[in-house]
Amino acid sequence: MRRTESTTRRVAVYTDGACLDNPGMGGWAWVLPDGPYESGFDSRTTNNRMELMAVIRALEALAGFGNIEVVTDSRYVSSCFEERWWEGWERRGWKTASRKPVKNQDLWRPLVGRVLDGGVTFRWVKGHRGNFWNEFADSQANEAARMQTSNRSKIMDSPGWEERYLASRDAKEKQGTPTDELGGDPFEGSTQLF
Amino acid sequence: MRRTESTTRRVAVYTDGACLDNPGMGGWAWVLPDGPYESGFDSRTTNNRMELMAVIRALEALAGFGNIEVVTDSRYVSSCFEERWWEGWERRGWKTASRKPVKNQDLWRPLVGRVLDGGVTFRWVKGHRGNFWNEFADSQANEAARMQTSNRSKIMDSPGWEERYLASRDAKEKQGTPTDELGGDPFEGSTQLF
RNA sequence: UGACACCUACUAAC
DNA sequence: GTTAGTAGGTGTCA
């Protein structure tokens, strides 16, 4: 089941979760820079579950891409893979280092499985530090939590949108407008296509 | 060192701090209703330090009163005593609940000490909600911050002014003009004596 | 003990 | 609408 790397081009997806009153009303969102995004909510959840949901739903929606970089501001999410927490969990039968059951296993188990299938990497960015797409995902997750509403870009209903997204992204990068870097204004010289 | 309650009559002192650009140019002020007031400034400070300074300088200037009610609109100040934050700080060696050093210890430590000596209580009022003396203190603190100047009522140089303040306040209250209540205009039927 | 996130509250400003 | 100064807390892991 291991996927071939670079059958498709790499995409970076920004994910974030929000939770009012933690535990409380939650929201999650993922977004492709200058591309489609999706958000959802839960009426009673935790911040960490929403961070996980954002990643899980992103990987589902982006199944058409072979190489996905998940950008999150949650160490809870990124460290699981970057520091290989999941190896200890499996070795100990899904117990933490202090021998208590790992929380949120209903979300962690499928996610770990999907990541082991390959084609998924993680990048951590500090939250609220001016990373435009991280903050965009944050605002979408917050709106979803606050309004208890979902959003989904219509473009994802039309087949082949992945190739068109990659093409438009490459065109913009040739113009010298990187869509994936910290600090730069990704709207500069570009149009929101989706 | 615990003071005897009601050796002297109770006074309410309104304190406030202001800060332009936080951190930036700051000012503080305290005021006794229809009585003396004092203000001061700092060229580079924070809003919270100015709120603390207002209380500290008030308690110094009002040492002649045995029972002082400090009226502030800062939860940062009032909650320290009303919710006993200081107990946790001392228990944890002046660390916050998240194990980081308590900020502004140079101001907090002497203030906590003074309050523990007794005769000081706190009352919180919401800022900018029409409490006349809170807003008066606010305007004095703002002027001090903006002009970087100090003010101090001359009456405080004449000995025994405390008793005269209490007498004049009681006379006004007999006229039915409470000087210490929210919403009422304390200038109604009264003259600024100091 | 550390880290990150998610909040809640008040104030101060822009 | 935004940011900063500050505290209290929970969600989670090593």
Side-chain angles (χ1 to χ4, degrees), chain B residues 13-152:
Chain B
V13 59
Y14 289 75
T15 65
D16 196 37
C19 197
L20 309 180
D21 243 353
N22 196 22
M25 294 193 304
W28 55 265
W30 62 259
V31 54
L32 291 184
D34 280 334
Y37 65 89
E38 188 179 15
S39 65
F41 66 94
D42 195 322
S43 61
R44 177 78 186 173
T45 186
T46 69
N47 63 329
N48 289 332
R49 288 186 69 83
M50 290 295 95
E51 302 275 9
L52 286 168
M53 276 299 299
V55 178
I56 289 168
R57 300 298 291 270
L59 294 180
E60 286 173 3
L62 304 180
F65 295 93
N67 202 331
I68 302 170
E69 180 184 46
V70 175
V71 185
T72 175
D73 59 21
S74 167
R75 290 281 194 202
Y76 179 62
V77 171
S78 72
S79 292
C80 172
F81 302 103
E82 297 191 346
E83 299 178 17
R84 301 186 161 273
W85 289 353
W86 63 270
E87 287 185 347
W89 295 346
E90 302 211 318
R91 195 183 330 120
R92 292 185 292 257
W94 286 85
K95 298 280 193 299
T96 67
S98 42
R99 261 63 193 178
K100 318 231 304 215
V102 172
K103 304 277 183 70
N104 306 319
Q105 283 188 43
D106 55 322
L107 302 177
W108 273 123
R109 285 176 182 269
L111 176 56
V112 169
R114 169 65 188 88
V115 172
L116 294 192
D117 280 346
V120 180
T121 59
F122 287 83
R123 177 156 58 102
W124 179 81
V125 292
K126 186 147 186 63
H128 309 288
R129 277 293 197 281
N131 183 302
F132 183 87
W133 292 109
N134 171 257
E135 299 199 357
F136 181 79
D138 177 77
S139 71
Q140 294 302 311
N142 259 283
E143 180 184 308
R146 233 168 269 281
M147 318 280 296
Q148 296 279 284
T149 53
S150 299
N151 266 303
R152 185 169 182 281

Side-chain angles (χ1 to χ4, degrees), chain A residues 22-23 46 48 89 92 96-97 103-104:
Chain A
N22 195 22
T46 69
N48 290 330
W89 296 345
R92 293 185 292 258
T96 67
K103 303 275 184 71
N104 306 319

